Amino acid sequence: MDNKLFEAALTYADRGYPVFPCAPNAKRPLTANGLNDATTDAERIEAWWTAHPGANVAIATAGLLVVDLDGSDNPWLANEPDKLHDLTCASIALTPRGGKHYVFKQPAGAALRNTASKLAPKVDTRADGGYILAAPSVVECKAYKWVSEGLDETAPERLPEPPAWLLAMLNAPAGKAERANVAGSTNAIVDGQRNSTLTSLGGAMRHKGMSQAAIAAALHAENVDRCKPPLDSKEVETIIGSVAKYAPRPNALAAVEGRDGAHTAYQPVLTSLADVQPEQVQWLWPGRIALGKLTLIAGDPGLGKSFLSLDLASRVSLGSPWPDNRDSVAPCGGVVLLNAEDALGDTVRPRLDAMAAEVRRIIALEAIQGENRMPVNLQRDLPAVELAIERIDDCRLVIIDPVSAYLGKVDSHNNADIRAMLHPLSELADRHKVAVVAVTHLNKGQGSALYRATGSLAFVAAARAAWLVAKDPDAPRRRLFLPVKNNLAGDTLGMAYQIGDGVVQWEPEPVTIDPDRLLAPAEPGRDDSNDAAEWLRQELANGPVDSADLHERARENGISRNRLFKAKDLLGVQANKTGFDGRWQWTMPDEESPSVLPKKPVLFVTLGNDSACPAWEDCPQPPPTCPA
């Protein structure tokens, strides 16, 4: 069922909030027993919204406390900013008439009930025995909207408890609520609420865009001033680290404070082009990879895309010239590396060392550490990426390899979802003037190279430049680096390289091969054995090679075992064994090795089973006879 209201109802129920339907554009329950019918049962919810597809979504508030401010100009707490600030740790929704819902969980044993204007005029609460409409429900043609982490993102147990002064006002006898407080005017945070309250405060500050340093200063101050007794400073640091993973929400502060009316968070941002200063494109690799932009590198597995990305990192760390202009001067800079496929210790660092990279200028973002260690998620953890950029001097490059490993729950084939995720990534790149290079694989489709990057076309659309890494069909060890799209530099020619001695060896001459032609399907009946034969000829050009090494190299170059042996037969390659207990080697037929034993047929005798020679995979003939 393609219905946002139905999907929202399922999401709330999945988080643990019982829901029920209300009439479209109204708050009237559609079930016989109203909120008493609220449920988290998916089948029942589906039946309700199948019968009433336009129904609003209501959440029963048993176990919750919702403070309901009516109107955008409600004066409650206007003269008590500390108390108003305490409310911002809640999940907050804008109501259609400009009011706000602040949603907390009830403390254990509180058993709070609904109130009407007990706290102040036009300030009600919903608790046990009540319900609220939730986003994206619509009343008077306007929708409810979450402006901080909503109930669709937060389980009930993760909600903060209400501040102590609010509980005191609600529990005070009628007529005395306004005079109630806890610990005088200090607004103390008592034992049992310290962790949750500080976490909620930190989360609210992070959503408002505050830096981790600012959050740390505020939470340490709150801990000393208000927590009774204060938490250990190390425990506060743990809380600070856990909230750092949240993404800032630039519009949330304006919406919470109510500036410019109820819909401040949804006003257009307009810029006169007369106020825009023209700028030149700044380049990391002139004409190929721009600073402040997203660049995509796509290719099949096993072609050395990760090697290529580390070559970029090495050049940036050293300030080395780019391979198409060896006389150029490039500033050295920092690199942030997100690599999900290669181990840092046995692969990434050795490769960078072979390239003589300045590894002190390269940092790897491996995970996010909160209460638990979590993989990096670009939708959720851009603040962590930004922090990494800020931690290293003169950062000029961020590598994400492969980008598909960092999508979290985002559907890689959904254009809208990918665009929504990549837009803030592009903004981050522009804000810090760093080049973001995302590595991806090719899909199994056919047609233009523009459509061959794995997942949504939005990856290529969002990138200002896209490059294809492909195997040269005439020289299998040679790699082609070809332009698929370049919005900023016009017609830039491709390049070629090989990987040898642990480094990327670029060729100085440009390459003009059309990537679309290169990716076109092979002609029917075409035999690619000649490609494998040419690769094998090059491998054996300098003398005999261990057959096990050849098998491994062939696999890395996409050459199957069957094609390899066809190439061997085509070239007449000889398989010889070095010594009685030596290894098998392959040799071109015009070469001789004095260490090779003369070939003669032998009979292999097996004892107790029918197994053949352990080295049969390297033999040119199957058992029971084999040239030795």
Side-chain angles (χ1 to χ4, degrees):
M1 184 190 303
D2 186 12
N3 183 322
K4 290 184 178 179
L5 289 161
F6 166 64
E7 292 173 358
L10 284 181
T11 299
Y12 292 128
D14 185 60
R15 291 290 185 269
Y17 301 99
V19 299
F20 64 99
C22 285
N25 207 37
K27 301 179 181 180
R28 176 176 53 84
L30 288 175
T31 62
N33 301 305
L35 68 90
N36 293 322
D37 291 324
T39 183
T40 58
D41 180 74
E43 291 184 0
R44 194 173 181 188
I45 293 169
E46 183 175 8
W48 282 337
W49 266 269
T50 299
H52 307 285
N56 278 334
V57 183
I59 296 177
T61 54
L64 305 177
L65 172 64
V66 181
V67 179
D68 181 5
L69 266 68
D70 187 15
S72 61
D73 57 349
N74 195 303
W76 186 54
L77 301 181
N79 296 322
E80 297 182 84
D82 288 343
K83 289 184 177 180
L84 185 60
H85 181 268
D86 287 344
L87 298 182
T88 63
C89 65
S91 286
I92 306 170
L94 285 177
T95 67
R97 293 184 178 180
K100 300 179 186 71
H101 285 167
Y102 298 87
V103 186
F104 300 89
K105 69 178 178 183
Q106 293 188 32
L112 299 174
R113 304 292 295 179
N114 302 330
T115 67
S117 297
K118 181 174 182 177
L119 298 174
K122 296 185 178 181
V123 180
D124 303 333
T125 64
R126 295 292 179 266
D128 295 356
Y131 69 91
I132 58 170
L133 293 188
S137 297
V138 175
V139 174
E140 297 179 352
C141 300
K142 295 180 180 178
Y144 288 79
K145 301 177 185 294
W146 295 110
V147 295
S148 67
E149 189 171 23
L151 302 191
D152 53 344
E153 300 177 287
T154 311
E157 62 270 17
R158 286 188 54 215
L159 290 172
E161 293 182 358
W165 61 263
L166 179 57
L167 290 173
M169 293 180 71
L170 291 172
N171 291 324
K176 297 183 179 180
E178 293 183 4
R179 298 192 297 272
N181 60 67
V182 173
S185 60
T186 62
N187 195 15
I189 304 172
V190 298
D191 190 12
Q193 298 180 11
R194 296 172 299 171
N195 279 276
S196 61
T197 302
L198 290 182
T199 299
S200 299
L201 288 173
M205 287 186 280
R206 186 58 187 159
H207 283 314
K208 293 176 183 179
M210 292 179 66
S211 68
Q212 186 170 358
I215 294 171
L219 290 191
H220 280 297
E222 290 289 287
N223 180 49
V224 172
D225 293 343
R226 297 177 56 198
C227 289
K228 306 300 179 185
L231 292 170
D232 184 84
S233 61
K234 291 183 179 179
E235 196 165 356
V236 178
E237 286 295 331
T238 300
I239 294 172
I240 294 165
S242 70
V243 301
K245 67 179 181 291
Y246 296 126
R249 298 189 179 186
N251 292 329
L253 181 59
V256 169
E257 294 179 347
R259 295 200 301 264
D260 300 327
H263 301 289
T264 301
Y266 309 101
Q267 294 298 313
V269 178
L270 304 176
T271 302
S272 169
L273 270 295
D275 297 329
V276 177
Q277 295 299 317
E279 298 178 359
Q280 295 290 328
V281 175
Q282 300 177 50
W283 296 97
L284 181 77
W285 184 351
R288 300 180 189 275
I289 299 176
L291 291 168
K293 310 295 180 184
L294 174 65
T295 298
L296 192 69
I297 297 177
D300 283 325
L303 296 184
K305 300 186 299 299
S306 295
F307 247 115
L308 173 60
S309 69
L310 293 181
D311 179 73
L312 301 178
S314 174
R315 291 176 183 275
V316 171
S317 74
L318 294 166
S320 299
W322 295 101
D324 53 353
N325 186 355
R326 301 180 188 277
D327 296 327
S328 62
V329 177
C332 60
V335 180
V336 175
L337 178 64
L338 286 77
N339 188 308
E341 294 190 339
D342 297 316
L344 297 180
D346 60 23
T347 303
V348 175
R349 176 62 192 271
R351 287 178 178 178
L352 290 171
D353 287 344
M355 299 172 185
E358 177 50 83
V359 293
R360 289 177 296 181
R361 295 196 180 107
I362 303 173
I363 60 173
L365 176 55
E366 294 187 84
I368 302 298
Q369 184 68 57
E371 294 182 2
N372 299 300
R373 184 180 173 94
M374 301 177 293
V376 178
N377 176 337
L378 290 176
Q379 185 182 38
R380 179 195 64 207
D381 298 324
L382 278 186
V385 178
E386 188 160 23
L387 184 61
I389 291 171
E390 294 169 351
R391 286 273 179 91
I392 190 166
D393 292 338
D394 300 320
C395 185
R396 292 173 60 81
L397 174 63
V398 175
I399 296 170
I400 306 172
D401 181 15
V403 67
S404 58
Y406 297 96
L407 300 183
K409 295 182 179 180
V410 174
D411 182 357
S412 65
H413 296 276
N414 186 303
N415 274 346
D417 288 352
I418 293 301
R419 284 183 179 273
M421 186 203 71
L422 293 180
H423 179 69
L425 178 63
S426 297
E427 287 186 327
L428 181 149
D430 180 63
R431 187 162 59 250
H432 291 277
K433 289 297 180 283
V434 299
V436 176
V437 174
V439 179
T440 189
H441 299 311
L442 296 180
N443 59 41
K444 300 299 182 183
Q446 298 180 6
S448 171
L450 280 170
Y451 301 94
R452 291 293 306 279
T454 293
S456 164
L457 180 60
F459 284 111
V460 177
R464 297 300 82 199
W467 295 87
L468 171 70
V469 173
K471 184 186 300 184
D472 186 337
D474 299 320
R477 293 189 64 185
R478 189 173 186 242
R479 303 290 179 257
L480 303 176
F481 184 64
L482 305 176
V484 174
K485 164 189 173 179
N486 195 338
N487 288 2
L488 303 175
D491 296 330
T492 304
L493 297 177
M495 298 189 69
Y497 67 90
Q498 294 190 40
I499 298 172
D501 298 325
V503 299
V504 177
Q505 300 169 344
W506 291 92
E507 297 177 9
E509 297 300 321
V511 173
T512 58
I513 295 176
D514 180 3
D516 290 342
R517 182 181 66 82
L518 189 67
L519 293 180
E523 298 176 4
R526 175 183 171 184
D527 186 358
D528 56 6
S529 297
N530 287 333
D531 293 343
E534 178 59 30
W535 176 87
L536 183 57
R537 188 194 306 276
Q538 292 185 26
E539 290 291 322
L540 301 179
N542 296 323
V545 177
D546 187 284
S547 64
D549 291 342
L550 277 175
H551 281 81
E552 179 64 20
R553 293 182 203 171
R555 185 187 62 78
E556 291 175 352
N557 283 271
I559 298 173
S560 67
R561 181 181 178 81
N562 186 49
R563 287 177 58 202
L564 181 64
F565 275 93
K566 282 185 178 180
K568 174 178 173 293
D569 293 339
L570 188 65
L571 296 177
V573 171
Q574 298 174 359
N576 302 304
K577 194 173 184 182
T578 58
F580 288 102
D581 298 319
R583 299 170 62 89
W584 287 95
Q585 291 185 334
W586 285 16
T587 311
M588 290 297 291
D590 58 345
E591 296 190 25
E592 295 183 1
S593 173
S595 63
V596 173
L597 294 175
K599 292 192 290 185
K600 61 181 180 179
V602 296
L603 178 65
F604 286 84
V605 180
T606 60
L607 300 176
N609 57 55
D610 295 329
S611 63
C613 170
W616 72 270
E617 288 189 350
D618 294 323
C619 293
Q621 298 178 16
T625 62
C626 175

